[in-house]
Amino acid sequence: MNNVLKQQSAERISKRVFIALLAVIAVVFVAFYLIGFNRPYADDPNFNEPLLTDVVLVFMFLILLLAIAAAIWGMVRAVRMRDDLPSDNASTPYRYGWMVAGGTVVLMALTFLLGSTAPIWVNGAVYANAFWLKTANMFVWSSVIMIIAAAAAAALYTFRNRKID
């Protein structure tokens, strides 16, 4: 198994993992919407209580843990690779890793500080805890900004590396 992985390029392995991950995500979310989605909530039949909510939450938590593990592994690998690279190129991956980590921390701090504390109504109840409102706002806006940045970087990479005939 290890020899098979070493023979394949990192790009090919990455594509296969990405396709597998997309397939699992599609199955989980299609199942969420097709299996018991319109089940009424026991305490108030005006609200839905989807049957597979716990499955989606656990799946998202596992994906988060995998992303954190991959980020830590990547940072450790970058530090180890730094010593193996020629001296003129040694700090580039290391520097990029720290720039991404630092940028993420700064982005999350800014979106937390700029987050709204206006109370919101959720399922008939008012939520007014300023800390949790700012925290939720931070995660939503940080995610939106990072998704836009990732799409822009992918588009830039695609168009920049295009061969002109």
Side-chain angles (χ1 to χ4, degrees), residues 111-160:
T111 54
F112 180 82
L113 293 172
L114 297 173
S116 173
T117 58
I120 59 172
W121 285 84
V122 177
N123 291 339
V126 176
Y127 289 92
N129 185 315
F131 174 77
W132 288 115
L133 288 167
K134 281 182 162 281
T135 302
N137 215 335
M138 172 190 70
F139 283 118
V140 169
W141 283 108
S142 294
S143 298
V144 167
I145 291 168
M146 285 191 269
I147 288 169
I148 291 170
L156 179 67
Y157 176 78
T158 300
F159 291 121
R160 198 169 135 206

Side-chain angles (χ1 to χ4, degrees), residues 2-129:
N2 200 13
N3 287 337
V4 173
L5 288 177
K6 285 184 179 181
Q7 291 174 351
Q8 294 183 8
S9 70
E11 182 180 1
R12 187 172 180 162
I13 294 170
S14 174
K15 282 182 182 179
R16 287 185 177 182
V17 169
F18 180 65
I19 289 169
L21 187 59
L22 284 178
V24 172
I25 289 169
V27 167
V28 168
F29 282 101
V30 166
F32 175 75
Y33 285 111
L34 294 180
I35 301 172
F37 181 75
N38 292 324
R39 193 175 73 156
Y41 182 52
D43 292 340
D44 187 354
N46 293 326
F47 298 108
N48 284 347
E49 184 181 21
L51 183 63
L52 299 178
T53 302
D54 292 337
V55 173
V56 172
L57 291 173
V58 167
F59 179 70
M60 289 173 29
F61 183 69
L62 288 174
I63 294 293
L64 175 67
L65 289 178
L66 282 171
I68 291 170
I72 291 170
W73 176 73
M75 288 171 54
V76 168
R77 189 165 180 254
V79 168
R80 286 184 182 164
M81 278 180 42
R82 188 175 131 196
D83 295 334
D84 296 338
L85 294 173
S87 61
D88 60 338
N89 216 12
S91 64
T92 303
Y94 185 73
R95 192 176 329 131
Y96 286 157
W98 281 110
M99 285 171 47
V100 169
T104 302
V105 169
V106 168
L107 175 65
M108 292 182 84
L110 283 173
T111 54
F112 180 82
L113 293 172
L114 297 173
S116 173
T117 58
I120 59 172
W121 285 84
V122 177
N123 291 339
V126 176
Y127 289 92
N129 185 315

